[in-house]
Amino acid sequence: MTHRVRDVMSPATATVRPMTTVTRAAELMRERDVRDVLVAYDRDLFGVLTDRDIVLRAVADGRDPAATRVGSVCAPPPVVTLAPDDTTDRAAELMRHYAVPRLPVVGPDGEAVGVVSLAALSDLRAARPQVPSA
């Protein structure tokens, strides 16, 4: 059975503007219990900031998180995205190709509507009934 991204995505996305400080983005991650935030200006997705980006591109470089803007440390555009009607197989293919554990999901107007994670795809796969081999 083919599943759609909308069936497994997390609609609880956290979004910040590129000029938001890394400190504020980290606080938002903690408040929402997420490992990344989407970086958008109005409805345009600019990038994705992960907890790993904060560690490697800000803290490890000695940058002040209270003065560093997320636009300077997030994964830069273009951002690979999915549509809610894309298949979960397509999501897995893109994650494998780009070596990322999460992808933003955008609606027809380009606005972020969720995030699909490798963990969600794994949970779906684990829940599938196993077909006995002949």
Side-chain angles (χ1 to χ4, degrees), residues 42-101:
D42 293 327
R43 292 178 174 223
D44 296 324
L45 190 59
F46 177 84
V48 177
L49 179 74
T50 66
D51 51 359
R52 181 174 166 84
D53 293 329
I54 292 172
V55 171
L56 298 180
R57 295 182 180 156
V59 176
D61 284 347
R63 296 168 104 178
D64 177 2
T68 303
R69 306 296 177 201
V70 298
S72 68
V73 294
C74 69
V79 178
V80 178
T81 62
L82 293 162
D85 287 331
D86 282 336
T87 65
T88 54
D89 290 340
R90 175 77 174 140
E93 175 187 317
L94 287 173
M95 287 179 188
R96 208 174 15 257
H97 180 77
Y98 290 99
V100 294

Short mmCIF file of all heavy atoms in Angstrom, two decimals, residues 42-101:
data_model
loop_
_atom_site.label_atom_id
_atom_site.label_comp_id
_atom_site.label_asym_id
_atom_site.label_seq_id
_atom_site.Cartn_x
_atom_site.Cartn_y
_atom_site.Cartn_z
N ASP A 42 8.67 35.44 5.23
CA ASP A 42 7.27 35.41 4.82
C ASP A 42 6.92 33.95 4.52
O ASP A 42 7.06 33.11 5.37
CB ASP A 42 6.99 36.37 3.67
CG ASP A 42 7.16 37.82 4.10
OD1 ASP A 42 6.86 38.13 5.27
OD2 ASP A 42 7.59 38.64 3.27
N ARG A 43 6.51 33.65 3.30
CA ARG A 43 6.15 32.27 2.96
C ARG A 43 7.27 31.53 2.24
O ARG A 43 7.13 30.35 1.93
CB ARG A 43 4.91 32.25 2.09
CG ARG A 43 3.69 32.69 2.82
CD ARG A 43 2.49 32.69 1.92
NE ARG A 43 1.31 33.00 2.70
CZ ARG A 43 0.18 32.38 2.57
NH1 ARG A 43 0.04 31.44 1.69
NH2 ARG A 43 -0.84 32.71 3.32
N ASP A 44 8.37 32.22 1.95
CA ASP A 44 9.45 31.63 1.18
C ASP A 44 10.42 30.88 2.09
O ASP A 44 11.05 31.48 2.98
CB ASP A 44 10.21 32.70 0.41
CG ASP A 44 9.34 33.38 -0.64
OD1 ASP A 44 8.49 32.69 -1.23
OD2 ASP A 44 9.52 34.59 -0.84
N LEU A 45 10.56 29.58 1.86
CA LEU A 45 11.48 28.76 2.63
C LEU A 45 12.91 29.10 2.22
O LEU A 45 13.28 28.99 1.06
CB LEU A 45 11.17 27.29 2.40
CG LEU A 45 11.87 26.29 3.29
CD1 LEU A 45 11.54 26.55 4.77
CD2 LEU A 45 11.44 24.87 2.92
N PHE A 46 13.70 29.53 3.18
CA PHE A 46 15.07 29.99 2.95
C PHE A 46 16.08 28.88 3.25
O PHE A 46 17.10 28.76 2.61
CB PHE A 46 15.32 31.21 3.84
CG PHE A 46 16.72 31.76 3.78
CD1 PHE A 46 17.08 32.64 2.78
CD2 PHE A 46 17.66 31.40 4.73
CE1 PHE A 46 18.36 33.14 2.73
CE2 PHE A 46 18.94 31.90 4.69
CZ PHE A 46 19.31 32.78 3.69
N GLY A 47 15.80 28.09 4.29
CA GLY A 47 16.72 27.05 4.71
C GLY A 47 16.16 26.25 5.87
O GLY A 47 15.03 26.45 6.29
N VAL A 48 17.00 25.34 6.37
CA VAL A 48 16.66 24.53 7.53
C VAL A 48 17.82 24.64 8.50
O VAL A 48 18.98 24.52 8.11
CB VAL A 48 16.45 23.05 7.14
CG1 VAL A 48 16.15 22.20 8.36
CG2 VAL A 48 15.33 22.92 6.11
N LEU A 49 17.51 24.91 9.76
CA LEU A 49 18.52 24.98 10.80
C LEU A 49 18.33 23.79 11.73
O LEU A 49 17.26 23.62 12.31
CB LEU A 49 18.40 26.28 11.61
CG LEU A 49 19.42 26.43 12.75
CD1 LEU A 49 20.81 26.74 12.19
CD2 LEU A 49 18.98 27.49 13.73
N THR A 50 19.36 22.97 11.86
CA THR A 50 19.30 21.80 12.74
C THR A 50 20.13 22.04 13.99
O THR A 50 20.98 22.95 14.02
CB THR A 50 19.83 20.54 12.04
OG1 THR A 50 21.24 20.71 11.78
CG2 THR A 50 19.10 20.28 10.72
N ASP A 51 19.91 21.20 14.99
CA ASP A 51 20.74 21.28 16.18
C ASP A 51 22.21 21.05 15.82
O ASP A 51 23.11 21.67 16.37
CB ASP A 51 20.26 20.31 17.27
CG ASP A 51 20.07 18.88 16.80
OD1 ASP A 51 20.29 18.57 15.60
OD2 ASP A 51 19.66 18.05 17.64
N ARG A 52 22.45 20.21 14.84
CA ARG A 52 23.82 19.94 14.37
C ARG A 52 24.44 21.19 13.73
O ARG A 52 25.62 21.49 13.94
CB ARG A 52 23.80 18.78 13.39
CG ARG A 52 25.16 18.39 12.85
CD ARG A 52 25.02 17.13 11.99
NE ARG A 52 26.20 16.88 11.19
CZ ARG A 52 27.28 16.27 11.61
NH1 ARG A 52 27.34 15.82 12.83
NH2 ARG A 52 28.30 16.09 10.80
N ASP A 53 23.65 21.94 12.96
CA ASP A 53 24.14 23.20 12.38
C ASP A 53 24.58 24.16 13.47
O ASP A 53 25.61 24.83 13.34
CB ASP A 53 23.05 23.88 11.54
CG ASP A 53 22.68 23.12 10.29
OD1 ASP A 53 23.55 22.42 9.72
OD2 ASP A 53 21.51 23.23 9.88
N ILE A 54 23.80 24.23 14.54
CA ILE A 54 24.14 25.14 15.64
C ILE A 54 25.49 24.75 16.23
O ILE A 54 26.35 25.60 16.46
CB ILE A 54 23.04 25.14 16.72
CG1 ILE A 54 21.78 25.79 16.17
CG2 ILE A 54 23.51 25.84 17.99
CD1 ILE A 54 20.56 25.67 17.08
N VAL A 55 25.68 23.46 16.45
CA VAL A 55 26.93 22.98 17.05
C VAL A 55 28.11 23.20 16.11
O VAL A 55 29.14 23.74 16.51
CB VAL A 55 26.81 21.50 17.46
CG1 VAL A 55 28.16 20.94 17.87
CG2 VAL A 55 25.80 21.33 18.58
N LEU A 56 27.97 22.76 14.86
CA LEU A 56 29.11 22.78 13.94
C LEU A 56 29.39 24.13 13.29
O LEU A 56 30.54 24.48 13.06
CB LEU A 56 28.92 21.73 12.84
CG LEU A 56 28.85 20.28 13.32
CD1 LEU A 56 28.66 19.35 12.13
CD2 LEU A 56 30.10 19.90 14.10
N ARG A 57 28.35 24.88 12.98
CA ARG A 57 28.54 26.14 12.24
C ARG A 57 28.53 27.38 13.12
O ARG A 57 28.82 28.46 12.65
CB ARG A 57 27.48 26.27 11.16
CG ARG A 57 27.59 25.21 10.10
CD ARG A 57 26.56 25.41 9.02
NE ARG A 57 26.69 24.38 8.01
CZ ARG A 57 25.72 23.99 7.23
NH1 ARG A 57 24.52 24.56 7.31
NH2 ARG A 57 25.91 23.05 6.34
N ALA A 58 28.14 27.22 14.37
CA ALA A 58 28.11 28.38 15.26
C ALA A 58 29.03 28.15 16.45
O ALA A 58 30.07 28.80 16.57
CB ALA A 58 26.69 28.69 15.71
N VAL A 59 28.68 27.23 17.31
CA VAL A 59 29.43 27.01 18.55
C VAL A 59 30.87 26.59 18.27
O VAL A 59 31.82 27.18 18.81
CB VAL A 59 28.72 25.98 19.46
CG1 VAL A 59 29.54 25.69 20.70
CG2 VAL A 59 27.33 26.48 19.83
N ALA A 60 31.08 25.58 17.42
CA ALA A 60 32.43 25.09 17.14
C ALA A 60 33.30 26.14 16.46
O ALA A 60 34.53 26.10 16.58
CB ALA A 60 32.37 23.82 16.29
N ASP A 61 32.67 27.08 15.76
CA ASP A 61 33.42 28.16 15.11
C ASP A 61 33.64 29.35 16.04
O ASP A 61 34.19 30.37 15.62
CB ASP A 61 32.69 28.64 13.85
CG ASP A 61 32.86 27.67 12.69
OD1 ASP A 61 33.72 26.78 12.76
OD2 ASP A 61 32.12 27.81 11.69
N GLY A 62 33.18 29.23 17.30
CA GLY A 62 33.38 30.29 18.26
C GLY A 62 32.48 31.49 18.07
O GLY A 62 32.75 32.57 18.58
N ARG A 63 31.38 31.31 17.36
CA ARG A 63 30.46 32.42 17.13
C ARG A 63 29.54 32.59 18.35
O ARG A 63 29.17 31.62 18.98
CB ARG A 63 29.63 32.16 15.89
CG ARG A 63 30.50 32.12 14.63
CD ARG A 63 29.74 31.59 13.46
NE ARG A 63 29.37 32.69 12.59
CZ ARG A 63 28.72 32.54 11.45
NH1 ARG A 63 28.33 31.36 11.06
NH2 ARG A 63 28.45 33.58 10.71
N ASP A 64 29.18 33.81 18.62
CA ASP A 64 28.29 34.12 19.74
C ASP A 64 26.86 33.81 19.31
O ASP A 64 26.31 34.49 18.44
CB ASP A 64 28.44 35.59 20.11
CG ASP A 64 27.50 36.03 21.22
OD1 ASP A 64 26.74 35.18 21.77
OD2 ASP A 64 27.52 37.23 21.57
N PRO A 65 26.21 32.79 19.93
CA PRO A 65 24.85 32.43 19.52
C PRO A 65 23.84 33.56 19.72
O PRO A 65 22.84 33.62 19.01
CB PRO A 65 24.50 31.24 20.41
CG PRO A 65 25.79 30.76 20.98
CD PRO A 65 26.74 31.91 20.95
N ALA A 66 24.11 34.46 20.65
CA ALA A 66 23.19 35.57 20.89
C ALA A 66 23.31 36.65 19.82
O ALA A 66 22.40 37.46 19.66
CB ALA A 66 23.44 36.17 22.27
N ALA A 67 24.41 36.65 19.07
CA ALA A 67 24.62 37.65 18.03
C ALA A 67 24.58 37.06 16.62
O ALA A 67 24.43 37.80 15.65
CB ALA A 67 25.96 38.35 18.24
N THR A 68 24.68 35.75 16.51
CA THR A 68 24.70 35.09 15.20
C THR A 68 23.28 34.86 14.70
O THR A 68 22.43 34.38 15.44
CB THR A 68 25.45 33.75 15.29
OG1 THR A 68 26.77 33.99 15.79
CG2 THR A 68 25.54 33.06 13.95
N ARG A 69 23.04 35.20 13.47
CA ARG A 69 21.72 35.05 12.85
C ARG A 69 21.61 33.67 12.19
O ARG A 69 22.58 33.19 11.59
CB ARG A 69 21.47 36.13 11.80
CG ARG A 69 21.66 37.53 12.33
CD ARG A 69 20.65 37.85 13.40
NE ARG A 69 20.90 39.20 13.95
CZ ARG A 69 20.46 39.59 15.12
NH1 ARG A 69 19.76 38.77 15.88
NH2 ARG A 69 20.71 40.80 15.55
N VAL A 70 20.44 33.05 12.28
CA VAL A 70 20.27 31.71 11.74
C VAL A 70 20.50 31.67 10.23
O VAL A 70 20.95 30.65 9.70
CB VAL A 70 18.90 31.10 12.09
CG1 VAL A 70 18.74 30.97 13.58
CG2 VAL A 70 17.75 31.87 11.50
N GLY A 71 20.23 32.76 9.54
CA GLY A 71 20.45 32.80 8.10
C GLY A 71 21.89 32.58 7.70
O GLY A 71 22.17 32.15 6.59
N SER A 72 22.83 32.83 8.62
CA SER A 72 24.25 32.65 8.31
C SER A 72 24.77 31.27 8.67
O SER A 72 25.90 30.94 8.31
CB SER A 72 25.08 33.72 9.03
OG SER A 72 25.07 33.51 10.42
N VAL A 73 23.98 30.45 9.36
CA VAL A 73 24.46 29.12 9.75
C VAL A 73 23.55 27.97 9.33
O VAL A 73 23.91 26.81 9.47
CB VAL A 73 24.73 29.03 11.28
CG1 VAL A 73 25.88 29.93 11.69
CG2 VAL A 73 23.49 29.31 12.08
N CYS A 74 22.39 28.28 8.79
CA CYS A 74 21.47 27.20 8.38
C CYS A 74 21.96 26.58 7.07
O CYS A 74 22.78 27.18 6.36
CB CYS A 74 20.05 27.72 8.23
SG CYS A 74 19.75 28.84 6.85
N ALA A 75 21.45 25.39 6.78
CA ALA A 75 21.73 24.79 5.48
C ALA A 75 21.20 25.73 4.41
O ALA A 75 20.04 26.14 4.46
CB ALA A 75 21.06 23.42 5.39
N PRO A 76 22.04 26.11 3.47
CA PRO A 76 21.65 27.15 2.50
C PRO A 76 20.70 26.64 1.43
O PRO A 76 20.59 25.44 1.20
CB PRO A 76 22.99 27.54 1.89
CG PRO A 76 23.82 26.32 1.98
CD PRO A 76 23.40 25.63 3.25
N PRO A 77 20.02 27.58 0.75
CA PRO A 77 19.16 27.19 -0.37
C PRO A 77 20.02 26.60 -1.50
O PRO A 77 21.21 26.87 -1.54
CB PRO A 77 18.54 28.51 -0.81
CG PRO A 77 18.84 29.50 0.25
CD PRO A 77 20.00 29.00 1.02
N PRO A 78 19.47 25.82 -2.37
CA PRO A 78 18.06 25.45 -2.42
C PRO A 78 17.75 24.37 -1.39
O PRO A 78 18.59 23.52 -1.08
CB PRO A 78 17.87 24.93 -3.84
CG PRO A 78 19.21 24.37 -4.21
CD PRO A 78 20.22 25.24 -3.50
N VAL A 79 16.55 24.42 -0.86
CA VAL A 79 16.10 23.45 0.13
C VAL A 79 15.28 22.39 -0.59
O VAL A 79 14.37 22.71 -1.35
CB VAL A 79 15.24 24.15 1.21
CG1 VAL A 79 14.73 23.16 2.22
CG2 VAL A 79 16.03 25.26 1.88
N VAL A 80 15.62 21.14 -0.35
CA VAL A 80 14.87 20.03 -0.93
C VAL A 80 13.59 19.88 -0.12
O VAL A 80 13.63 19.81 1.11
CB VAL A 80 15.68 18.72 -0.89
CG1 VAL A 80 14.88 17.57 -1.46
CG2 VAL A 80 16.99 18.89 -1.64
N THR A 81 12.45 19.86 -0.81
CA THR A 81 11.16 19.78 -0.13
C THR A 81 10.30 18.68 -0.75
O THR A 81 10.60 18.17 -1.83
CB THR A 81 10.40 21.11 -0.22
OG1 THR A 81 10.13 21.40 -1.59
CG2 THR A 81 11.17 22.25 0.41
N LEU A 82 9.24 18.38 -0.04
CA LEU A 82 8.22 17.45 -0.50
C LEU A 82 6.87 18.14 -0.48
O LEU A 82 6.69 19.11 0.24
CB LEU A 82 8.16 16.23 0.43
CG LEU A 82 9.37 15.32 0.45
CD1 LEU A 82 9.35 14.46 1.70
CD2 LEU A 82 9.40 14.46 -0.80
N ALA A 83 5.94 17.60 -1.24
CA ALA A 83 4.55 18.04 -1.18
C ALA A 83 3.77 17.02 -0.35
O ALA A 83 4.17 15.86 -0.26
CB ALA A 83 3.97 18.11 -2.59
N PRO A 84 2.69 17.44 0.27
CA PRO A 84 1.91 16.50 1.08
C PRO A 84 1.44 15.27 0.30
O PRO A 84 1.30 14.19 0.88
CB PRO A 84 0.71 17.33 1.54
CG PRO A 84 1.19 18.75 1.50
CD PRO A 84 2.15 18.80 0.35
N ASP A 85 1.23 15.39 -1.00
CA ASP A 85 0.77 14.27 -1.81
C ASP A 85 1.88 13.39 -2.36
O ASP A 85 1.61 12.37 -3.00
CB ASP A 85 -0.11 14.76 -2.97
CG ASP A 85 -1.46 15.24 -2.48
OD1 ASP A 85 -1.95 14.73 -1.46
OD2 ASP A 85 -2.03 16.13 -3.13
N ASP A 86 3.15 13.75 -2.11
CA ASP A 86 4.25 12.88 -2.51
C ASP A 86 4.17 11.57 -1.75
O ASP A 86 3.62 11.51 -0.64
CB ASP A 86 5.60 13.54 -2.24
CG ASP A 86 5.99 14.58 -3.27
OD1 ASP A 86 5.50 14.51 -4.42
OD2 ASP A 86 6.78 15.47 -2.94
N THR A 87 4.74 10.52 -2.32
CA THR A 87 4.72 9.23 -1.64
C THR A 87 5.83 9.17 -0.60
O THR A 87 6.84 9.88 -0.69
CB THR A 87 4.92 8.07 -2.63
OG1 THR A 87 6.24 8.16 -3.19
CG2 THR A 87 3.86 8.08 -3.73
N THR A 88 5.64 8.28 0.36
CA THR A 88 6.68 8.08 1.37
C THR A 88 7.91 7.44 0.73
O THR A 88 9.03 7.65 1.20
CB THR A 88 6.17 7.23 2.54
OG1 THR A 88 5.62 6.00 2.05
CG2 THR A 88 5.11 7.98 3.33
N ASP A 89 7.72 6.69 -0.34
CA ASP A 89 8.87 6.13 -1.06
C ASP A 89 9.72 7.26 -1.65
O ASP A 89 10.95 7.20 -1.62
CB ASP A 89 8.42 5.19 -2.18
CG ASP A 89 7.82 3.90 -1.65
OD1 ASP A 89 8.09 3.54 -0.49
OD2 ASP A 89 7.07 3.25 -2.42
N ARG A 90 9.07 8.28 -2.18
CA ARG A 90 9.79 9.45 -2.72
C ARG A 90 10.54 10.16 -1.60
O ARG A 90 11.68 10.59 -1.76
CB ARG A 90 8.80 10.41 -3.40
CG ARG A 90 9.41 11.70 -3.88
CD ARG A 90 10.19 11.53 -5.15
NE ARG A 90 10.62 12.85 -5.62
CZ ARG A 90 11.81 13.06 -6.14
NH1 ARG A 90 12.65 12.07 -6.31
NH2 ARG A 90 12.16 14.26 -6.51
N ALA A 91 9.90 10.28 -0.44
CA ALA A 91 10.56 10.90 0.71
C ALA A 91 11.82 10.13 1.09
O ALA A 91 12.89 10.72 1.30
CB ALA A 91 9.60 10.98 1.89
N ALA A 92 11.71 8.82 1.16
CA ALA A 92 12.87 7.99 1.52
C ALA A 92 13.97 8.11 0.48
O ALA A 92 15.16 8.20 0.82
CB ALA A 92 12.43 6.54 1.68
N GLU A 93 13.59 8.16 -0.78
CA GLU A 93 14.56 8.30 -1.87
C GLU A 93 15.33 9.62 -1.75
O GLU A 93 16.56 9.65 -1.87
CB GLU A 93 13.81 8.24 -3.20
CG GLU A 93 14.64 8.50 -4.42
CD GLU A 93 13.76 8.58 -5.67
OE1 GLU A 93 12.84 7.76 -5.82
OE2 GLU A 93 14.01 9.48 -6.49
N LEU A 94 14.62 10.72 -1.50
CA LEU A 94 15.28 12.02 -1.36
C LEU A 94 16.16 12.07 -0.12
O LEU A 94 17.27 12.63 -0.16
CB LEU A 94 14.24 13.14 -1.32
CG LEU A 94 13.55 13.47 -2.64
CD1 LEU A 94 12.43 14.47 -2.42
CD2 LEU A 94 14.54 13.98 -3.66
N MET A 95 15.70 11.51 0.98
CA MET A 95 16.52 11.48 2.20
C MET A 95 17.82 10.71 1.97
O MET A 95 18.88 11.13 2.41
CB MET A 95 15.74 10.87 3.36
CG MET A 95 14.67 11.76 3.90
SD MET A 95 13.79 10.92 5.24
CE MET A 95 12.46 12.06 5.51
N ARG A 96 17.70 9.59 1.28
CA ARG A 96 18.88 8.78 0.98
C ARG A 96 19.82 9.55 0.06
O ARG A 96 21.03 9.63 0.31
CB ARG A 96 18.42 7.48 0.32
CG ARG A 96 19.28 6.32 0.50
CD ARG A 96 18.75 4.98 -0.03
NE ARG A 96 17.63 5.01 -0.95
CZ ARG A 96 16.36 4.73 -0.60
NH1 ARG A 96 16.06 4.41 0.62
NH2 ARG A 96 15.40 4.77 -1.51
N HIS A 97 19.29 10.14 -1.00
CA HIS A 97 20.10 10.85 -1.98
C HIS A 97 20.84 12.05 -1.37
O HIS A 97 22.01 12.27 -1.65
CB HIS A 97 19.23 11.32 -3.14
CG HIS A 97 19.99 12.06 -4.20
ND1 HIS A 97 20.78 11.41 -5.12
CD2 HIS A 97 20.11 13.38 -4.46
CE1 HIS A 97 21.34 12.31 -5.91
NE2 HIS A 97 20.95 13.51 -5.53
N TYR A 98 20.15 12.81 -0.53
CA TYR A 98 20.75 14.02 0.05
C TYR A 98 21.33 13.78 1.45
O TYR A 98 21.85 14.72 2.05
CB TYR A 98 19.72 15.16 0.09
CG TYR A 98 19.40 15.67 -1.29
CD1 TYR A 98 18.25 15.23 -1.96
CD2 TYR A 98 20.25 16.54 -1.95
CE1 TYR A 98 17.96 15.68 -3.23
CE2 TYR A 98 19.98 16.98 -3.23
CZ TYR A 98 18.83 16.54 -3.87
OH TYR A 98 18.55 16.99 -5.15
N ALA A 99 21.23 12.56 1.94
CA ALA A 99 21.77 12.18 3.25
C ALA A 99 21.27 13.10 4.36
O ALA A 99 22.05 13.67 5.13
CB ALA A 99 23.29 12.14 3.22
N VAL A 100 19.94 13.25 4.42
CA VAL A 100 19.32 14.08 5.45
C VAL A 100 18.24 13.25 6.16
O VAL A 100 17.57 12.43 5.53
CB VAL A 100 18.69 15.38 4.89
CG1 VAL A 100 19.78 16.30 4.35
CG2 VAL A 100 17.67 15.09 3.80
N PRO A 101 18.05 13.47 7.47
CA PRO A 101 17.06 12.70 8.21
C PRO A 101 15.66 13.32 8.25
O PRO A 101 14.73 12.70 8.74
CB PRO A 101 17.65 12.65 9.62
CG PRO A 101 18.41 13.92 9.73
CD PRO A 101 18.95 14.21 8.36
#
